Amino acid sequence: VLAKNNGTGAAFKFKVWLYNSAFGQWAVLAMASAGTPAGAEVELSVPDNKDLYYVFDINGAERIYIQQTDIDSSGTAEVWAGVNSF
């Protein structure tokens, strides 16, 4: 995912949702860490006037959805997603 914040003064925040047809439902991307082995929802933050790249393992997901959770009204944000299967 490439996320671009074209605004100034505030971060753009978003969550990534994944869909799996075997279960027929959407779920927020969660990642395990040493402090939260069960995983915690991932909310990504892009500082003002920055471009950031994020890489996720989305095995088993057939669809993704990008949910904007926060942005300053003085700017715009853009998100591009790509998939590789190698």
Side-chain angles (χ1 to χ4, degrees):
V1 172
L2 168 61
K4 183 174 185 172
N5 185 348
N6 299 314
T8 56
F12 161 54
K13 295 181 182 177
F14 66 98
K15 291 184 179 182
V16 177
W17 289 74
L18 306 173
Y19 179 79
N20 182 292
S21 63
F23 299 106
Q25 62 184 2
W26 289 88
V28 176
L29 176 68
M31 300 178 87
S33 67
T36 57
E41 287 186 4
V42 176
E43 182 175 51
L44 303 166
S45 181
V46 182
D48 62 322
N49 204 28
K50 296 287 181 186
D51 299 354
L52 294 178
Y53 289 91
Y54 299 95
V55 178
F56 309 108
D57 183 358
I58 58 168
N59 285 333
E62 288 112 4
R63 300 177 196 170
I64 66 166
Y65 172 74
I66 308 296
Q67 176 193 14
Q68 174 186 321
T69 57
D70 189 24
I71 191 168
D72 180 24
S73 61
S74 68
T76 62
E78 302 168 72
V79 176
W80 293 272
V83 178
N84 285 322
S85 58
F86 57 86

